Amino acid sequence: LEQFQQTVNADLANVFGNFVNRITRFGAAKFEAKVPDCGAPGALEAKLAKDVGDRIAALTQHHEEMEFRKAAAELRALIGAMTVRAFRAGQVVIETGEPATALYWLARGRAVVGRDRKELGELTAGAFFGEIALVSGSSRTARVTVRTDALALEIPTEAVERAAAAEPRVAEVLAQHARGRLLSNLMRTSEVFTALSPADRATLLARFSPTMVAAGKTIIEAGKDNAWLWLLVSGRCSVRAPGGPIEVGP
């Protein structure tokens, strides 16, 4: 922010200020400090006017995009909404199937992510978790248990949503992180992929894309060609076959 301020001040003082000073001094010396009469503008004047207009519009857009004060205000609001939570070793922070009410940032300690008695990964200080359910609008897809005594910052869902609305980059980062974690967890737990080598899993991982499916929507119909392989990572779905309906989960 300080560097931005210095750059803008330098532009105002050195470039714009110098330009205005030269024009006023030239007018005072050559035209007795009066604006001279001018003729009809030609092609060069029209081009100059267009160039100046385009550059002013671009400059305005750049300044509007760098809304530092608004960003700082949103950051302060987000920090103000955080709650410091202390957890003892072995304590569950979030449980599979629970509604998503907060995002967590692990400030100290270690935690383990698991589902169905399988360990999906370990979290260390600096990691955040709980974003998958927030981004997808679903219930928790895994359990997080602290492995050691830990401190975490709890950020309510409403505060995260306000920050994402004010700064779209927040939503982009959460969505990218959620996608990577969803697919990574899937590769570790699905029998379809556990037989693959790590290199092959990584190659295949890049080809998948998360898709939100609304309740009640049909994704595969009997008798119709299916162009996709679907892998259920959260929620439940029903398969209707001649032998009767079957309900499946992640």
Side-chain angles (χ1 to χ4, degrees), residues 103-122:
L103 177 72
Y104 294 88
W105 181 71
L106 191 60
R108 189 177 69 189
R110 293 183 294 126
V112 60
V113 183
R115 186 174 62 220
D116 298 332
R117 298 182 180 180
K118 293 181 180 179
E119 184 174 320
L120 302 178
E122 185 179 66

Side-chain angles (χ1 to χ4, degrees), residues 10-74:
D11 283 341
L12 290 172
N14 299 335
V15 180
F16 298 146
N18 187 43
F19 172 74
V20 172
N21 182 59
R22 284 174 177 268
I23 292 298
T24 53
R25 291 184 64 182
F26 180 80
K30 302 296 183 180
F31 300 100
E32 299 179 353
K34 297 179 181 179
V35 177
D37 294 333
C38 60
L44 290 177
E45 286 78 8
K47 181 179 183 304
L48 176 61
K50 182 180 183 305
D51 290 345
V52 171
D54 290 345
R55 291 187 178 278
I56 290 176
L59 178 64
T60 301
Q61 180 181 354
H62 292 324
H63 284 172
E64 288 178 348
E65 288 175 349
M66 293 184 287
E67 296 177 325
F68 294 110
R69 290 187 179 181
K70 289 184 179 180
E74 293 298 332

Side-chain angles (χ1 to χ4, degrees), residues 64-189:
E64 288 178 348
E65 288 175 349
M66 293 184 287
E67 296 177 325
F68 294 110
R69 290 187 179 181
K70 289 184 179 180
E74 293 298 332
L75 179 59
R76 287 194 296 270
L78 189 61
I79 293 174
M82 294 179 181
T83 301
V84 179
R85 296 281 306 277
F87 298 95
R88 294 293 185 185
Q91 188 174 351
V92 175
V93 183
I94 59 177
E95 181 61 88
T96 306
E98 290 181 344
T101 58
L103 177 72
Y104 294 88
W105 181 71
L106 191 60
R108 189 177 69 189
R110 293 183 294 126
V112 60
V113 183
R115 186 174 62 220
D116 298 332
R117 298 182 180 180
K118 293 181 180 179
E119 184 174 320
L120 302 178
E122 185 179 66
L123 303 172
T124 56
F128 62 87
F129 57 94
E131 79 289 349
I132 292 178
L134 289 184
V135 171
S136 64
S138 63
S139 56
R140 299 295 191 189
T141 59
R143 176 190 299 110
V144 175
T145 308
V146 292
R147 184 162 273 170
T148 65
D149 290 351
L151 288 177
L153 293 177
E154 184 181 68
I155 312 169
T157 301
E158 296 79 7
V160 177
E161 291 174 346
R162 285 196 301 269
E167 179 49 64
R169 181 59 182 161
V170 173
E172 292 175 10
V173 170
L174 288 177
Q176 291 172 1
H177 198 273
R179 175 189 180 277
R181 183 167 284 173
L182 270 173
L183 295 177
S184 179
N185 292 346
L186 182 66
M187 291 294 168
R188 292 192 185 98
T189 58

Side-chain angles (χ1 to χ4, degrees), residues 232 235-239 246-250:
L232 189 64
R236 310 289 297 179
C237 70
S238 177
V239 180
I246 303 172
E247 186 174 295
V248 296

Side-chain angles (χ1 to χ4, degrees), residues 196-246:
L196 298 176
S197 68
D200 289 338
R201 285 201 298 267
T203 300
L204 192 58
L205 185 70
R207 301 182 66 110
F208 280 91
S209 59
T211 301
M212 288 293 299
V213 180
K217 181 178 179 180
T218 299
I219 57 176
I220 298 177
E221 293 189 34
K224 293 187 178 181
D225 292 337
N226 179 43
W228 309 99
L229 171 66
W230 294 85
L231 298 171
L232 189 64
V233 295
S234 67
R236 310 289 297 179
C237 70
S238 177
V239 180
R240 297 187 179 182
I246 303 172

